[in-house]
Amino acid sequence: MERPFRARLLAGDLLVGTIVTLAAPEVAELLASAGFDWLFIDAEHAPLGFRDAQALLQAAGSGCPCLVRVPAGEEVWLKKALDLGAAGVIVPQVHSAEQAERVVRLCKYPPQGTRGVGVARAHGYGNRFGEYMALANDQVAVVLQAESAAAVRNIRSIVEVPGVDAILIGPYDLSASLGKTGKLADPEVTGAIATVTEACLAAGMRLGAFGIDAPAVRPFIERGYTLIAAGIDTLLLSTAAGDLLSGIVQPAP
């Protein structure tokens, strides 16, 4: 039997996924069938509602776990994402240990936390209610994004919060927070990423990163990152289409 996603994450398995932003179930179905270990459903920046997110989870099927990036670390978003049956959540803009503690509480059922109890897709619409309630606290993954100067300053206390399973670097927001928007090779940005990396490795915290392609994520894997989001559905489509067209239509001499 396939181990739950959170168990694989905590064990340090290399988990390669990609970001889904298009509200088309066929996209999630195709990406899941391509062999990705997981899908990153982006309900923060993409125009995805929670009905869209549920359709994407359904299309991905039980063989490809999905993490939903919520718009913010608030109760309503976390509760909805998990009740959809997501394998976990990715929470943006976590700047302190206090925020991290609150997110974990909201993702765990009592007595470990304060997650509200409903009957939804995660619970088999009621048919697997008891089973899900018994397993959810151990199987739901909580991934926090470190993407601000404040998060970098507080990273050592954030990684000590029980129930945080991984830290995902948000390189673009981090660069903006440092006044170096998009300048990912700037020494201040690379230094901040190094600070987060070192703190996580020292604490045994799993690390995640995003890159637009294989060359972009390979250096992170070499540094010990195991939760990898490579590419975005829109870029994968447009790049493949561009490559196809350029292979057919040769530039004029």
Side-chain angles (χ1 to χ4, degrees):
M1 181 177 178
E2 181 72 26
R3 288 177 297 156
F5 180 87
R6 181 172 183 257
R8 297 187 65 198
L9 175 64
L10 295 179
D13 291 4
L14 178 61
L15 300 168
V16 179
T18 193
I19 296 180
V20 182
T21 66
L22 297 171
E26 295 85 355
V27 170
E29 186 177 29
L30 284 165
L31 292 172
S33 67
F36 285 105
D37 296 301
W38 65 290
L39 297 182
F40 180 136
I41 308 299
D42 189 5
E44 182 195 14
H45 288 296
L48 297 177
F50 278 89
R51 183 176 293 277
D52 298 322
Q54 176 167 298
L56 294 173
L57 265 69
Q58 291 170 320
S62 59
C64 186
C66 297
L67 301 189
V68 175
R69 177 161 67 178
V70 294
E74 300 299 328
E75 180 175 14
V76 63
W77 305 124
L78 296 167
K79 181 166 53 180
K80 282 180 175 291
L82 294 177
D83 283 353
L84 293 179
V89 289
I90 298 171
V91 184
Q93 299 295 335
V94 176
H95 312 300
S96 68
E98 291 75 21
Q99 274 186 282
E101 289 166 357
R102 182 171 183 272
V103 167
V104 172
R105 283 199 308 274
L106 292 171
C107 292
K108 302 290 185 182
Y109 285 123
Q112 291 175 249
T114 59
R115 179 181 169 186
V117 179
V119 178
R121 179 174 181 269
H123 313 81
Y125 305 102
N127 294 318
R128 295 187 293 102
F129 182 83
E131 176 188 356
Y132 182 80
M133 293 294 296
L135 297 175
N137 282 354
D138 288 331
Q139 293 190 354
V140 165
V142 178
V143 179
L144 308 182
Q145 287 200 257
E147 50 185 350
S148 69
V152 175
R153 287 195 302 272
N154 296 320
I155 192 63
R156 287 174 178 79
S157 59
I158 291 172
V159 299
E160 294 298 332
V161 174
V164 175
D165 298 317
I167 299 294
L168 180 72
I169 295 285
Y172 290 94
D173 278 332
L174 178 56
S175 68
S177 176
L178 296 169
K180 305 292 178 67
T181 305
K183 298 177 181 177
L184 303 189
D186 184 274
E188 191 173 356
V189 177
T190 58
I193 292 174
T195 296
V196 173
T197 302
E198 291 161 9
C200 289
L201 292 176
M205 176 66 64
R206 298 304 171 195
L207 278 157
F210 161 75
I212 60 171
D213 54 23
V217 299
R218 198 166 290 121
F220 286 106
I221 296 172
E222 292 169 355
R223 294 166 72 182
Y225 285 63
T226 58
L227 183 64
I228 303 299
I232 306 173
D233 53 4
T234 49
L235 278 175
L236 292 172
L237 177 60
S238 62
T239 300
D243 289 345
L244 174 64
L245 186 60
S246 65
I248 297 170
V249 181
Q250 300 299 321

